[in-house]
Amino acid sequence: MGSNHYSQIGLRDLFDLKRADTVILHKTWFAFFLTFFVWFNMAPLATTIAAASGLTMDELKLLAVCNVALAAPGRFIMAGLTDRFGPRKTLTLIMVATSVPCLAFAFAGSYGQMIVSRLLLGMVGTGLMAGIHMTSLWFRPRDIGFVQGVEAGLGNWGSSIAAMLMPVLALNVFGSWRLAIAMSGVLMLVYGAYFWYTVSDGPERAFRRSPGKGSAIEVSSWGDLVAALIWTAPITGVLALLVWRARGMGYIGGEIAALAYAVIAAAVLYQTGRVVRLNLPMLKKGVPDRDRYRFTDVGALCLCYVATFGAEVAVISMLPVFLQNGFSLTPQLAGLLGAAFAFLNIFSRALGGYITGRMPAKRGTMLVYLAGVAVSFSLMGLITPEWPVPSVVLVILLCALFVTGGCGITYAIVPLIKRRMTGRISGYVGAYGNVGAVVFLVAYTFVGESQFFYLIGAAALAAFLFCLFFMKEPAGAFSKEYQLYCVGKRPAEGGRGRASGARAPFADRGA
């Protein structure tokens, strides 16, 4: 199923269904689309659910935080699983397993059951890790920016379609928000089974290497080890913020909160311990130059994703309610307008990846988009109920253009840091998107909409400054070959990893 196309992939190639890589791309983005459709099937129904069940705004905000909380450590875990077991198995697992809490939320009989099921359902937001890995196996480095922009753009469109369809399904088709949400879970379950039987991990001429038993990330120096430990702790530690807020709002008692803090602390220590155990022997032995990379660049991408994807998730979670309450709109119209934020994903995220793939100054492209995010969220903060709705939508679209485009740029750069660890690096970056979402949404329980938007703008400015002073331009961005080289031995020499298909060229190893 290998491809003989050596010209850079473009829009026309997406319609060439004779290409195996194109078919895999379409199947993968649709799987990602369904995970996002299910992930954000609650936000456009928030006021409908509140009216039917008597929930308050504070309870709705806490449900929104629960909806994204587990995705942060979940993305970290799934990134390790996709490196070890491959994207096909991992993405199938995500779709099948998370259909259960989706159905549980649909038929929950109490607010406690809603919190637990929504918390577990947050794991559905980890599908990006497997999708990114799948495209990195099927496409060449210089095509990845565009391809992953297409995949993530169409996949993220799931949240936009959910915002438009869920109110219509719940109010005009099923006459029940529970049946509408249950339908989305069943659809994802069925497609998960289809995905399992119809895709493979990479073309025949390429191969997938497992980085070994360790699920921690490798580093190149003692300084990077310290940086990795610092950046690892918040991925699970951010859950303490949710526990603290739930305790403060009186939804859990002191004993349960203490137990939760202890579990979170143990998980953080476990994760940092794995990083130390994996890297100590390697650093003492010395890391070859060809395997070195800067962990600071990973940290920079993490901050970029906080300011882009974290902002996107947080805004999607509150925008329909903000529009409905602030401008006296119907749930259907508020959902339709709220969908505009994620709707731009379909081309702006791909555009961000496309531009990154062709611009020699990828860091500079990122800086431009981060500046755009900071400015546009400042404009969002100026919105008042006196604004005409068309002007509000225009500002939302401008903001979404930079936010979703910045997401595309971030993940176009991820595979260029160290290709054989794409899964784990994408796990850090993806997890930080949800760390940002949790922080923003917890802050939203304290402040109004204007302060919420200003806070996100300030986060984007901080990410801009960090990238300006500490991020370096990635190397090896325009290679024509698949880059699956591993620090270990070649498969024929008895390396630890597994191979599927024939050996790939080694022309780009070490990139």
PDB file of all heavy atoms in Angstrom, residues 131-152:
ATOM      1  N   GLY A 131      -4.497   9.704  16.488  1.00  0.00           N
ATOM      2  CA  GLY A 131      -4.634  10.214  15.135  1.00  0.00           C
ATOM      3  C   GLY A 131      -3.358  10.856  14.625  1.00  0.00           C
ATOM      4  O   GLY A 131      -2.957  10.646  13.469  1.00  0.00           O
ATOM      5  N   ILE A 132      -2.705  11.617  15.477  1.00  0.00           N
ATOM      6  CA  ILE A 132      -1.437  12.244  15.092  1.00  0.00           C
ATOM      7  C   ILE A 132      -0.401  11.172  14.772  1.00  0.00           C
ATOM      8  O   ILE A 132       0.343  11.265  13.790  1.00  0.00           O
ATOM      9  CB  ILE A 132      -0.925  13.136  16.245  1.00  0.00           C
ATOM     10  CG1 ILE A 132      -1.829  14.372  16.402  1.00  0.00           C
ATOM     11  CG2 ILE A 132       0.526  13.556  16.023  1.00  0.00           C
ATOM     12  CD1 ILE A 132      -1.758  15.339  15.271  1.00  0.00           C
ATOM     13  N   HIS A 133      -0.371  10.137  15.587  1.00  0.00           N
ATOM     14  CA  HIS A 133       0.603   9.074  15.358  1.00  0.00           C
ATOM     15  C   HIS A 133       0.298   8.340  14.045  1.00  0.00           C
ATOM     16  O   HIS A 133       1.198   7.990  13.278  1.00  0.00           O
ATOM     17  CB  HIS A 133       0.591   8.097  16.532  1.00  0.00           C
ATOM     18  CG  HIS A 133       1.811   7.250  16.607  1.00  0.00           C
ATOM     19  ND1 HIS A 133       2.195   6.574  17.734  1.00  0.00           N
ATOM     20  CD2 HIS A 133       2.758   6.959  15.679  1.00  0.00           C
ATOM     21  CE1 HIS A 133       3.302   5.916  17.502  1.00  0.00           C
ATOM     22  NE2 HIS A 133       3.673   6.137  16.263  1.00  0.00           N
ATOM     23  N   MET A 134      -0.987   8.110  13.776  1.00  0.00           N
ATOM     24  CA  MET A 134      -1.367   7.397  12.550  1.00  0.00           C
ATOM     25  C   MET A 134      -0.895   8.153  11.309  1.00  0.00           C
ATOM     26  O   MET A 134      -0.302   7.578  10.387  1.00  0.00           O
ATOM     27  CB  MET A 134      -2.890   7.215  12.509  1.00  0.00           C
ATOM     28  CG  MET A 134      -3.404   6.479  11.284  1.00  0.00           C
ATOM     29  SD  MET A 134      -2.932   4.727  11.262  1.00  0.00           S
ATOM     30  CE  MET A 134      -4.251   4.037  12.281  1.00  0.00           C
ATOM     31  N   THR A 135      -1.131   9.461  11.262  1.00  0.00           N
ATOM     32  CA  THR A 135      -0.717  10.224  10.082  1.00  0.00           C
ATOM     33  C   THR A 135       0.793  10.356   9.997  1.00  0.00           C
ATOM     34  O   THR A 135       1.354  10.409   8.901  1.00  0.00           O
ATOM     35  CB  THR A 135      -1.353  11.627  10.101  1.00  0.00           C
ATOM     36  OG1 THR A 135      -1.119  12.233  11.373  1.00  0.00           O
ATOM     37  CG2 THR A 135      -2.839  11.552   9.861  1.00  0.00           C
ATOM     38  N   SER A 136       1.479  10.384  11.132  1.00  0.00           N
ATOM     39  CA  SER A 136       2.938  10.475  11.089  1.00  0.00           C
ATOM     40  C   SER A 136       3.540   9.187  10.533  1.00  0.00           C
ATOM     41  O   SER A 136       4.660   9.194  10.016  1.00  0.00           O
ATOM     42  CB  SER A 136       3.505  10.770  12.482  1.00  0.00           C
ATOM     43  OG  SER A 136       3.417   9.637  13.320  1.00  0.00           O
ATOM     44  N   LEU A 137       2.818   8.065  10.648  1.00  0.00           N
ATOM     45  CA  LEU A 137       3.298   6.803  10.084  1.00  0.00           C
ATOM     46  C   LEU A 137       2.999   6.700   8.595  1.00  0.00           C
ATOM     47  O   LEU A 137       3.735   6.053   7.844  1.00  0.00           O
ATOM     48  CB  LEU A 137       2.639   5.622  10.809  1.00  0.00           C
ATOM     49  CG  LEU A 137       3.043   5.406  12.268  1.00  0.00           C
ATOM     50  CD1 LEU A 137       2.189   4.312  12.903  1.00  0.00           C
ATOM     51  CD2 LEU A 137       4.511   5.036  12.369  1.00  0.00           C
ATOM     52  N   TRP A 138       1.910   7.317   8.148  1.00  0.00           N
ATOM     53  CA  TRP A 138       1.479   7.154   6.756  1.00  0.00           C
ATOM     54  C   TRP A 138       1.998   8.241   5.822  1.00  0.00           C
ATOM     55  O   TRP A 138       1.997   8.064   4.606  1.00  0.00           O
ATOM     56  CB  TRP A 138      -0.048   7.137   6.703  1.00  0.00           C
ATOM     57  CG  TRP A 138      -0.630   5.775   6.962  1.00  0.00           C
ATOM     58  CD1 TRP A 138      -1.014   5.263   8.173  1.00  0.00           C
ATOM     59  CD2 TRP A 138      -0.886   4.762   6.001  1.00  0.00           C
ATOM     60  NE1 TRP A 138      -1.491   3.987   8.016  1.00  0.00           N
ATOM     61  CE2 TRP A 138      -1.425   3.648   6.682  1.00  0.00           C
ATOM     62  CE3 TRP A 138      -0.717   4.670   4.619  1.00  0.00           C
ATOM     63  CZ2 TRP A 138      -1.793   2.475   6.054  1.00  0.00           C
ATOM     64  CZ3 TRP A 138      -1.092   3.499   3.973  1.00  0.00           C
ATOM     65  CH2 TRP A 138      -1.617   2.406   4.693  1.00  0.00           C
ATOM     66  N   PHE A 139       2.445   9.371   6.333  1.00  0.00           N
ATOM     67  CA  PHE A 139       2.820  10.485   5.459  1.00  0.00           C
ATOM     68  C   PHE A 139       4.250  10.965   5.737  1.00  0.00           C
ATOM     69  O   PHE A 139       4.760  10.807   6.849  1.00  0.00           O
ATOM     70  CB  PHE A 139       1.840  11.648   5.632  1.00  0.00           C
ATOM     71  CG  PHE A 139       0.466  11.341   5.119  1.00  0.00           C
ATOM     72  CD1 PHE A 139      -0.486  10.760   5.955  1.00  0.00           C
ATOM     73  CD2 PHE A 139       0.117  11.599   3.804  1.00  0.00           C
ATOM     74  CE1 PHE A 139      -1.759  10.457   5.495  1.00  0.00           C
ATOM     75  CE2 PHE A 139      -1.152  11.299   3.330  1.00  0.00           C
ATOM     76  CZ  PHE A 139      -2.089  10.724   4.183  1.00  0.00           C
ATOM     77  N   ARG A 140       4.833  11.570   4.733  1.00  0.00           N
ATOM     78  CA  ARG A 140       6.214  12.050   4.844  1.00  0.00           C
ATOM     79  C   ARG A 140       6.275  13.344   5.654  1.00  0.00           C
ATOM     80  O   ARG A 140       5.291  14.079   5.722  1.00  0.00           O
ATOM     81  CB  ARG A 140       6.794  12.274   3.448  1.00  0.00           C
ATOM     82  CG  ARG A 140       6.878  10.975   2.648  1.00  0.00           C
ATOM     83  CD  ARG A 140       7.447  11.207   1.275  1.00  0.00           C
ATOM     84  NE  ARG A 140       7.596   9.936   0.581  1.00  0.00           N
ATOM     85  CZ  ARG A 140       6.620   9.340  -0.087  1.00  0.00           C
ATOM     86  NH1 ARG A 140       5.439   9.908  -0.149  1.00  0.00           N
ATOM     87  NH2 ARG A 140       6.810   8.187  -0.670  1.00  0.00           N
ATOM     88  N   PRO A 141       7.453  13.631   6.201  1.00  0.00           N
ATOM     89  CA  PRO A 141       7.575  14.799   7.082  1.00  0.00           C
ATOM     90  C   PRO A 141       7.094  16.101   6.466  1.00  0.00           C
ATOM     91  O   PRO A 141       6.409  16.885   7.116  1.00  0.00           O
ATOM     92  CB  PRO A 141       9.075  14.848   7.393  1.00  0.00           C
ATOM     93  CG  PRO A 141       9.526  13.442   7.259  1.00  0.00           C
ATOM     94  CD  PRO A 141       8.692  12.841   6.156  1.00  0.00           C
ATOM     95  N   ARG A 142       7.412  16.330   5.208  1.00  0.00           N
ATOM     96  CA  ARG A 142       7.032  17.614   4.626  1.00  0.00           C
ATOM     97  C   ARG A 142       5.531  17.697   4.338  1.00  0.00           C
ATOM     98  O   ARG A 142       5.017  18.766   4.041  1.00  0.00           O
ATOM     99  CB  ARG A 142       7.814  17.858   3.340  1.00  0.00           C
ATOM    100  CG  ARG A 142       7.536  16.833   2.258  1.00  0.00           C
ATOM    101  CD  ARG A 142       8.351  17.151   1.031  1.00  0.00           C
ATOM    102  NE  ARG A 142       8.031  16.248  -0.058  1.00  0.00           N
ATOM    103  CZ  ARG A 142       8.541  16.361  -1.281  1.00  0.00           C
ATOM    104  NH1 ARG A 142       9.385  17.339  -1.526  1.00  0.00           N
ATOM    105  NH2 ARG A 142       8.219  15.521  -2.222  1.00  0.00           N
ATOM    106  N   ASP A 143       4.836  16.545   4.374  1.00  0.00           N
ATOM    107  CA  ASP A 143       3.392  16.529   4.177  1.00  0.00           C
ATOM    108  C   ASP A 143       2.623  16.565   5.490  1.00  0.00           C
ATOM    109  O   ASP A 143       1.407  16.781   5.499  1.00  0.00           O
ATOM    110  CB  ASP A 143       2.981  15.263   3.409  1.00  0.00           C
ATOM    111  CG  ASP A 143       3.514  15.249   2.002  1.00  0.00           C
ATOM    112  OD1 ASP A 143       3.664  16.347   1.431  1.00  0.00           O
ATOM    113  OD2 ASP A 143       3.788  14.156   1.477  1.00  0.00           O
ATOM    114  N   ILE A 144       3.316  16.318   6.591  1.00  0.00           N
ATOM    115  CA  ILE A 144       2.618  16.101   7.856  1.00  0.00           C
ATOM    116  C   ILE A 144       1.887  17.353   8.323  1.00  0.00           C
ATOM    117  O   ILE A 144       0.775  17.271   8.859  1.00  0.00           O
ATOM    118  CB  ILE A 144       3.613  15.603   8.928  1.00  0.00           C
ATOM    119  CG1 ILE A 144       3.901  14.120   8.678  1.00  0.00           C
ATOM    120  CG2 ILE A 144       3.044  15.782  10.330  1.00  0.00           C
ATOM    121  CD1 ILE A 144       4.893  13.533   9.639  1.00  0.00           C
ATOM    122  N   GLY A 145       2.474  18.516   8.147  1.00  0.00           N
ATOM    123  CA  GLY A 145       1.827  19.737   8.598  1.00  0.00           C
ATOM    124  C   GLY A 145       0.448  19.894   7.985  1.00  0.00           C
ATOM    125  O   GLY A 145      -0.547  20.128   8.680  1.00  0.00           O
ATOM    126  N   PHE A 146       0.362  19.707   6.657  1.00  0.00           N
ATOM    127  CA  PHE A 146      -0.914  19.841   5.967  1.00  0.00           C
ATOM    128  C   PHE A 146      -1.871  18.710   6.345  1.00  0.00           C
ATOM    129  O   PHE A 146      -3.041  18.932   6.666  1.00  0.00           O
ATOM    130  CB  PHE A 146      -0.680  19.840   4.452  1.00  0.00           C
ATOM    131  CG  PHE A 146      -1.929  19.807   3.638  1.00  0.00           C
ATOM    132  CD1 PHE A 146      -2.771  20.915   3.598  1.00  0.00           C
ATOM    133  CD2 PHE A 146      -2.280  18.670   2.921  1.00  0.00           C
ATOM    134  CE1 PHE A 146      -3.943  20.883   2.843  1.00  0.00           C
ATOM    135  CE2 PHE A 146      -3.445  18.635   2.175  1.00  0.00           C
ATOM    136  CZ  PHE A 146      -4.274  19.739   2.132  1.00  0.00           C
ATOM    137  N   VAL A 147      -1.353  17.478   6.341  1.00  0.00           N
ATOM    138  CA  VAL A 147      -2.195  16.307   6.609  1.00  0.00           C
ATOM    139  C   VAL A 147      -2.766  16.347   8.029  1.00  0.00           C
ATOM    140  O   VAL A 147      -3.964  16.101   8.239  1.00  0.00           O
ATOM    141  CB  VAL A 147      -1.386  15.015   6.393  1.00  0.00           C
ATOM    142  CG1 VAL A 147      -2.149  13.813   6.928  1.00  0.00           C
ATOM    143  CG2 VAL A 147      -1.069  14.836   4.923  1.00  0.00           C
ATOM    144  N   GLN A 148      -1.925  16.655   8.984  1.00  0.00           N
ATOM    145  CA  GLN A 148      -2.421  16.692  10.356  1.00  0.00           C
ATOM    146  C   GLN A 148      -3.340  17.880  10.568  1.00  0.00           C
ATOM    147  O   GLN A 148      -4.242  17.835  11.401  1.00  0.00           O
ATOM    148  CB  GLN A 148      -1.254  16.715  11.340  1.00  0.00           C
ATOM    149  CG  GLN A 148      -0.490  15.391  11.319  1.00  0.00           C
ATOM    150  CD  GLN A 148       0.558  15.291  12.399  1.00  0.00           C
ATOM    151  OE1 GLN A 148       0.918  16.276  13.027  1.00  0.00           O
ATOM    152  NE2 GLN A 148       1.048  14.089  12.617  1.00  0.00           N
ATOM    153  N   GLY A 149      -3.136  18.943   9.807  1.00  0.00           N
ATOM    154  CA  GLY A 149      -4.075  20.050   9.862  1.00  0.00           C
ATOM    155  C   GLY A 149      -5.445  19.633   9.344  1.00  0.00           C
ATOM    156  O   GLY A 149      -6.475  19.978   9.921  1.00  0.00           O
ATOM    157  N   VAL A 150      -5.451  18.855   8.246  1.00  0.00           N
ATOM    158  CA  VAL A 150      -6.713  18.342   7.712  1.00  0.00           C
ATOM    159  C   VAL A 150      -7.378  17.410   8.714  1.00  0.00           C
ATOM    160  O   VAL A 150      -8.586  17.521   9.000  1.00  0.00           O
ATOM    161  CB  VAL A 150      -6.464  17.601   6.381  1.00  0.00           C
ATOM    162  CG1 VAL A 150      -7.721  16.867   5.935  1.00  0.00           C
ATOM    163  CG2 VAL A 150      -6.002  18.581   5.306  1.00  0.00           C
ATOM    164  N   GLU A 151      -6.590  16.479   9.242  1.00  0.00           N
ATOM    165  CA  GLU A 151      -7.148  15.495  10.174  1.00  0.00           C
ATOM    166  C   GLU A 151      -7.716  16.177  11.417  1.00  0.00           C
ATOM    167  O   GLU A 151      -8.858  15.940  11.821  1.00  0.00           O
ATOM    168  CB  GLU A 151      -6.061  14.501  10.587  1.00  0.00           C
ATOM    169  CG  GLU A 151      -6.560  13.428  11.535  1.00  0.00           C
ATOM    170  CD  GLU A 151      -5.568  13.128  12.630  1.00  0.00           C
ATOM    171  OE1 GLU A 151      -4.405  13.507  12.508  1.00  0.00           O
ATOM    172  OE2 GLU A 151      -5.988  12.524  13.631  1.00  0.00           O
ATOM    173  N   ALA A 152      -6.907  17.019  12.024  1.00  0.00           N
ATOM    174  CA  ALA A 152      -7.349  17.672  13.258  1.00  0.00           C
ATOM    175  C   ALA A 152      -8.451  18.691  12.978  1.00  0.00           C
ATOM    176  O   ALA A 152      -9.367  18.857  13.786  1.00  0.00           O
ATOM    177  CB  ALA A 152      -6.162  18.345  13.940  1.00  0.00           C
TER     178      ALA A 152
END
